[in-house]
Amino acid sequence: MNNMNIKVPFVDLKLQHQPIQTQLQQAIQTVIEQGDFILGQALKDFETAFAAASGAEYGVGVASGTDAIALGLQACDISPGDEVILPANTFVATLIGVIRAGAKPIFVDCDPQTALIDLEAAARAVTPQTKAIIPVHLYGQMVSPRQLLDFSQTYKVLIFEDAAQAHLAEREGYRAGSVGTAAAFSFYPSKNLGAFGDGGILITRDSEVAQKMIRLRNYGAAQKYIHIESGTNSRLDTMQAAVLHQKLPYLPQWNRDRFNAAQKYDMELAPLASSGITPIQNHSTEGHIYHLYVIRVDHSCVVQRQQLQEELTAVGIQTGIHYPIPCHLQPAFTHLGYHVGDFPNAEMLANQILSLPMYPGLSHSQVKEVVDAIASSLHTEQQKLLLI
Ligand SMILES: *Cc1c(COP(=O)(O)O)cnc(C)c1O
């Protein structure tokens, strides 16, 4: 399908960039003039600002969200032999981060309504080797901080937040990234705060974790040419940091925009619940920042998920599936020994979920257009059934 036929795109980044284009260009120009492309001043400024906005003390910019997880776990002293609990229904990068840190990933199932990690299942998965739990604040909704802190105290495991989809999300008085020992964020362009390329950050309140992270991203160097551990090269470019810092003040409004669009979706979709179309539930009320707006197409629905997705595409509405295969069933990770049926909720969601268009600037009339198109698919199919 060419661009001309897209009526409601899945995301539209131009809408956020056009109004602040001059200021973004100026920020990039300043970095060019200063020439401090690696570990420059704009990076330090952004690290401080982003950590403060998220309720943490230190920020360490890295090349991607995946590196923020992999190096961040190492910075928290997660090492080979340690077990790390994570939800089966996350983006594969959470898993890759655990494996790169050398730890053993232990999957657990999720809540079928919220798609967030099931902490009761996590409690059953704890062993003497368990060192950490990674709550993934999936789709922009935080896992309950109170329940996480209880869990951490009861089982003596550290919390490492995967906040890659949750920039400035809130719940129970906590910001995403301020609950655990450390938290990883991604600045992939379509994330709620996105760079003009790849980027990520680790934030923490623990100065030792921050210091270790600063070394790990810079070849393990404590100071120039003195390498006290084996690190890597993973720094957030000064230029990307300059762009991100310009965008940061707009993030609360962009998140509110997403929230308002989500409320409109909730309202418009409500009548379709009896037909088997239900949104993933929001238990964090106004703190949900809706990185994605996800519905479930239940097996009882007259149209199946794939058919609905195809019919929406045909009328110019772009959708996505986040994610179609849970981590424990990914071909690269069969050696971990998991099988179909191990995590019924994660597997059910993988088969039923559909992400609808969601971005700041998505209008209420576009939301209505999307829901009308869904209703029309259901109606057409119901009519066909009546004729048989
Ligand atoms: C995007 C994402 C990541 C990885 O971030 P990258 O910057 O793409 O490496 C990790 N976890 C989750 C939940 C994500 O959505």
Side-chain angles (χ1 to χ4, degrees):
M1 183 164 59
N2 66 44
N3 279 341
M4 295 296 287
N5 296 332
I6 296 175
K7 283 204 303 199
V8 188
F10 188 63
V11 291
D12 187 349
L13 298 177
K14 286 192 305 292
L15 286 180
Q16 33 173 270
H17 295 143
Q18 264 162 2
I20 56 171
Q21 195 174 334
T22 316
Q23 129 187 31
L24 292 169
Q25 281 167 344
Q26 183 55 50
I28 291 170
Q29 186 59 35
T30 303
V31 176
I32 294 172
E33 281 160 17
Q34 292 179 341
D36 57 352
F37 300 111
I38 300 296
L39 300 177
Q41 189 56 43
L43 173 63
K44 293 187 188 76
D45 293 345
F46 171 68
E47 288 172 331
T48 308
F50 186 80
S54 304
E57 207 146 338
Y58 307 99
V60 184
V62 290
S64 68
T66 308
D67 277 359
I69 300 168
L71 301 175
L73 287 170
Q74 288 173 256
C76 292
D77 288 329
I78 302 298
S79 46
D82 294 340
E83 293 181 358
V84 174
I85 295 173
L86 72 161
N89 65 323
T90 181
F91 183 53
V92 73
T94 319
L95 169 60
I96 290 172
V98 173
I99 289 175
R100 274 181 49 201
K104 183 177 178 193
I106 304 293
F107 290 118
V108 297
D109 210 350
C110 60
D111 180 300
Q113 306 303 333
T114 62
L116 298 176
I117 190 169
D118 175 348
L119 290 176
E120 284 168 25
R124 292 191 293 274
V126 172
T127 75
Q129 281 71 50
T130 309
K131 261 291 190 54
I133 181 169
I134 307 186
V136 179
H137 302 315
L138 198 68
Y139 307 148
Q141 171 166 216
M142 287 180 74
V143 179
S144 164
R146 261 191 272 121
Q147 288 177 28
L148 276 173
L149 291 166
D150 275 354
F151 183 94
S152 166
Q153 274 186 347
T154 307
Y155 300 105
K156 309 282 175 259
V157 299
L158 70 84
I159 301 166
F160 185 98
E161 298 169 73
D162 181 338
Q165 302 187 358
H167 315 71
L168 302 190
E170 286 176 8
R171 187 165 179 179
E172 297 158 9
Y174 290 84
R175 281 266 160 97
S178 71
V179 182
T181 300
F185 290 82
S186 163
F187 301 124
Y188 181 80
S190 64
K191 297 289 159 85
N192 287 40
L193 181 62
F196 289 171
D198 275 307
I201 197 169
L202 184 91
I203 67 170
T204 179
R205 262 176 279 116
D206 185 321
S207 71
E208 278 181 39
V209 170
Q211 288 311 312
K212 188 162 178 187
M213 190 70 179
I214 285 169
R215 297 194 296 272
L216 287 173
R217 71 163 175 192
N218 197 31
Y219 325 106
Q223 58 190 86
K224 209 167 191 188
Y225 304 136
I226 301 179
H227 304 273
I228 64 168
E229 58 205 327
S230 179
T232 188
N233 174 353
S234 176
R235 297 160 305 215
L236 178 61
D237 292 337
T238 307
M239 200 128 39
Q240 297 295 353
V243 167
L244 289 163
H245 205 163
Q246 290 301 315
K247 292 176 72 170
L248 182 60
Y250 300 96
L251 182 56
Q253 182 57 50
W254 290 338
N255 282 346
R256 269 196 298 277
D257 246 47
R258 289 173 182 267
F259 185 85
N260 290 338
Q263 286 206 306
K264 178 73 174 168
Y265 268 127
D266 284 349
M267 201 180 74
E268 294 291 333
L269 283 166
L272 302 185
S274 54
S275 312
I277 302 282
T278 50
I280 293 294
Q281 283 179 9
N282 172 16
H283 286 189
S284 56
T285 59
E286 28 355 299
H288 193 327
I289 56 145
Y290 288 97
H291 173 58
L292 295 168
Y293 188 90
V294 179
I295 58 167
R296 274 172 59 184
V297 184
D298 198 86
H299 285 307
S300 68
C301 187
V302 282
V303 288
Q304 292 308 291
R305 193 250 319 259
Q306 188 187 338
Q307 185 188 347
L308 179 60
Q309 184 172 35
E310 284 167 4
E311 291 183 5
L312 291 174
T313 306
V315 297
I317 294 167
Q318 290 184 320
T319 58
I321 298 171
H322 303 86
Y323 299 90
I325 304 174
C327 287
H328 68 291
L329 301 178
Q330 287 292 350
F333 302 102
T334 52
H335 63 277
L336 295 174
Y338 291 95
H339 301 101
V340 172
D342 284 345
F343 305 111
N345 295 335
E347 293 167 28
M348 174 276 290
L349 286 175
N351 290 324
Q352 296 189 358
I353 48 180
L354 187 65
S355 309
L356 303 181
M358 174 52 81
Y359 50 88
L362 178 70
S363 71
H364 281 198
S365 64
Q366 284 175 306
V367 169
K368 186 158 187 328
E369 205 172 334
V370 172
V371 178
D372 285 349
I374 295 171
S376 150
S377 279
L378 301 186
H379 184 73
T380 307
E381 206 57 32
Q382 275 154 354
Q383 291 302 109
K384 276 194 223 158
L385 290 175
L386 288 176
L387 291 175
I388 291 170

